[in-house]
Amino acid sequence: MKPDMNYTLYLCTDRRLMTTDTLEEAVELAIQGGVTVVQLREKDCTSREFYEEAEKVKAITDAYEIPLLINDRLDIALAVGADGVHLGQTDIPVWAARDILGADKIVGATANTLEKAEEAWKSGADYLGVGDVFGTSTKADTIHVTLEELAAIKKQVEIPVVAIGGINAENISSLKATGVDGAAVISAILAKRDITAAAETLISNFLRA
């Protein structure tokens, strides 16, 4: 059965930025602060390391009943029993991932134009990650998406939309007017000394906007 998803505060991981000794510690602190979904996104590791990290993080997300998505890697998602995957625009197509994972898993897709958003939605994506909204230092070769474009995408598609790209405690409130379902963050949580407090501030600023 497909999990119920709350995309309000969506954490993408990056071990290079975390202020804790382990990624699972950082994830647990973030969940305690209000993170509602976790995407394991670790580019600089071997497949074995990614699998082992996924198992450790899944033990935390399972304990708190928070969905775990795996970036790109369908094999890792299947191996650890994650709740689904998130696919970039150069990854396997959404429809192909759906065929492999089945109807009970979440398949998310990145989009930065209305055309790509519609394509992903009609291909069977469960949600969209849309950005780069405010500029980001954690991903190269991104395409800027204005708040107006973000709002247009949200209005056009019939699935949840999560904004991503340079989101922090100061600018997250400006997303609310676009109607998006949540905000995806990396450094605004993981790079902070008090990860739990950082997550609490982000979710509070987003919800009260």
Side-chain angles (χ1 to χ4, degrees):
M1 184 176 179
K2 191 173 291 187
D4 291 330
M5 300 293 291
N6 175 354
Y7 295 100
T8 305
L9 189 56
Y10 183 123
L11 175 67
C12 296
T13 71
D14 189 332
R15 293 182 299 177
R16 298 170 300 177
L17 299 173
M18 66 188 188
T19 56
T20 54
D21 291 331
T22 66
L23 185 57
E24 56 267 32
E25 181 184 357
V27 168
E28 182 165 20
L29 290 170
I31 291 172
Q32 290 172 351
V35 160
T36 56
V37 56
V38 175
Q39 179 195 137
L40 188 62
R41 179 182 179 273
E42 297 299 328
K43 298 290 188 177
D44 299 324
C45 62
T46 66
S47 293
R48 174 63 68 88
E49 289 170 337
F50 198 175
Y51 168 76
E52 291 174 348
E53 200 65 76
E55 284 217 306
K56 294 174 188 175
V57 170
K58 188 172 185 295
I60 300 298
T61 56
D62 282 354
Y64 287 89
E65 298 183 344
I66 295 295
L68 174 65
L69 307 177
I70 304 295
N71 187 62
D72 300 348
R73 299 288 300 270
L74 276 72
D75 56 339
I76 301 294
L78 287 168
V80 303
D83 294 289
V85 295
H86 183 85
L87 303 172
Q89 293 176 357
T90 60
D91 295 326
I92 185 173
V94 168
W95 61 265
R98 176 65 69 204
D99 284 348
I100 294 168
L101 295 177
D104 292 338
K105 296 294 185 181
I106 299 296
V107 178
T110 296
N112 50 36
T113 67
L114 185 57
E115 180 182 13
K116 290 176 180 177
E118 286 187 327
E119 179 183 356
W121 162 43
K122 292 176 180 178
S123 295
D126 291 293
Y127 75 94
L128 300 176
V130 179
D132 172 14
V133 180
F134 297 116
T136 177
S137 60
T138 58
K139 189 174 182 181
D141 302 323
T142 60
I143 296 174
H144 178 59
V145 177
T146 68
L147 293 177
E148 291 75 18
E149 290 169 330
L150 182 62
I153 289 171
K154 173 57 185 172
K155 185 176 180 180
Q156 186 68 22
V157 302
E158 297 177 8
I159 54 177
V161 171
V162 178
I164 189 167
I167 296 167
N168 56 43
E170 287 70 45
N171 60 31
I172 193 170
S173 60
S174 64
L175 295 173
K176 203 62 185 297
T178 68
V180 295
D181 301 271
V185 297
I186 304 175
S187 60
I189 290 179
L190 294 183
K192 302 300 183 182
R193 287 294 169 190
D194 191 333
I195 288 174
T196 300
E200 289 172 344
T201 298
L202 283 162
I203 199 165
S204 174
N205 289 357
F206 180 69
L207 292 177
R208 76 183 183 197

